[in-house]
Amino acid sequence: MSKDYLKLSIVSGILIFVASYGALYAGLYLMPDFFSGYISPVFNSDDSRNLFFYMHPFVLSFALAFFWIRFRQMLNGNKWLKGIEFGLLYALIALVPVMWITYSAVDVSLSMVLTWLLYGTFQACIAGLVFSFLSES
C-alpha cells in the first residue's frame, strides 16, 4: 500500500466522517418529520453493528482513493472541478444503480432513496475534493 494511498484514504475518511455527521444532525434539526421515517423495522436499531456504521466513511474513502489513483488523469479542470467531477462520476456509476435496485426491492420511500443518493454524492464530492487538493498530479 502506498503512502499516498493511505494519506488520501485517512484524511478523506476523517473529513467524510465529520461532514456526514454534521449533515445528519443538520437534517434531523431542519427536517425532523422527514427523518422520523428512519425509525422503522427496516433499519437495525440495536447496538450490535454500530461499529460498521461508524466505519463507513473510512471504507468508502479507501475504495474511492483506489478509484482516484487509478483514474485521476482522466479528470479535467482545476482542483475544485476535478473533485466535484469525481464525486458526480461515482454517483452516476455506483450510487444511481444501487439506489435504483434499493428502491425497487426494499420498502422505502422514493424521497428516502433520493436523500441517500444526495448524501452519497455529497460524501463522494468531499472525497474528490480532498483527493484533488492533496494529490500532486
Side-chain angles (χ1 to χ4, degrees), residues 15-126:
L15 290 176
I16 291 170
F17 182 89
V18 171
S20 294
Y21 288 98
L24 286 174
Y25 282 109
L28 289 168
Y29 179 76
L30 298 171
M31 300 180 297
D33 293 336
F34 174 78
F35 285 100
S36 68
Y38 285 88
I39 301 169
S40 163
V42 170
F43 303 104
N44 180 34
S45 62
D46 67 25
D47 294 335
S48 67
R49 295 184 280 178
N50 280 353
L51 181 61
F52 292 107
F53 182 78
Y54 293 112
M55 287 174 48
H56 169 263
F58 296 95
V59 172
L60 177 64
S61 67
F62 273 82
L64 289 176
F66 176 80
F67 182 50
W68 171 263
I69 289 169
R70 180 72 174 91
F71 294 102
R72 66 182 166 201
Q73 292 83 11
M74 300 176 84
L75 303 172
N76 299 313
N78 64 32
K79 291 180 184 278
W80 288 96
L81 289 175
K82 286 180 182 181
I84 299 297
E85 182 181 7
F86 177 81
L88 294 175
L89 279 170
Y90 168 74
L92 184 64
I93 63 171
L95 292 176
V96 168
V98 80
M99 291 300 113
W100 187 282
I101 194 68
T102 299
Y103 180 65
S104 69
V106 180
D107 187 21
V108 291
S109 69
L110 179 60
S111 59
M112 190 175 289
V113 170
L114 291 175
T115 59
W116 293 344
L117 178 62
L118 183 64
Y119 183 64
T121 304
F122 169 72
Q123 290 178 318
C125 287
I126 288 171

Side-chain angles (χ1 to χ4, degrees), residues 1-10 62 65 69 72:
M1 220 179 289
S2 77
K3 194 168 93 172
D4 189 39
Y5 174 73
L6 285 174
K7 177 180 79 170
L8 294 174
S9 299
I10 292 169
F62 273 82
I69 289 169
R72 66 182 166 201

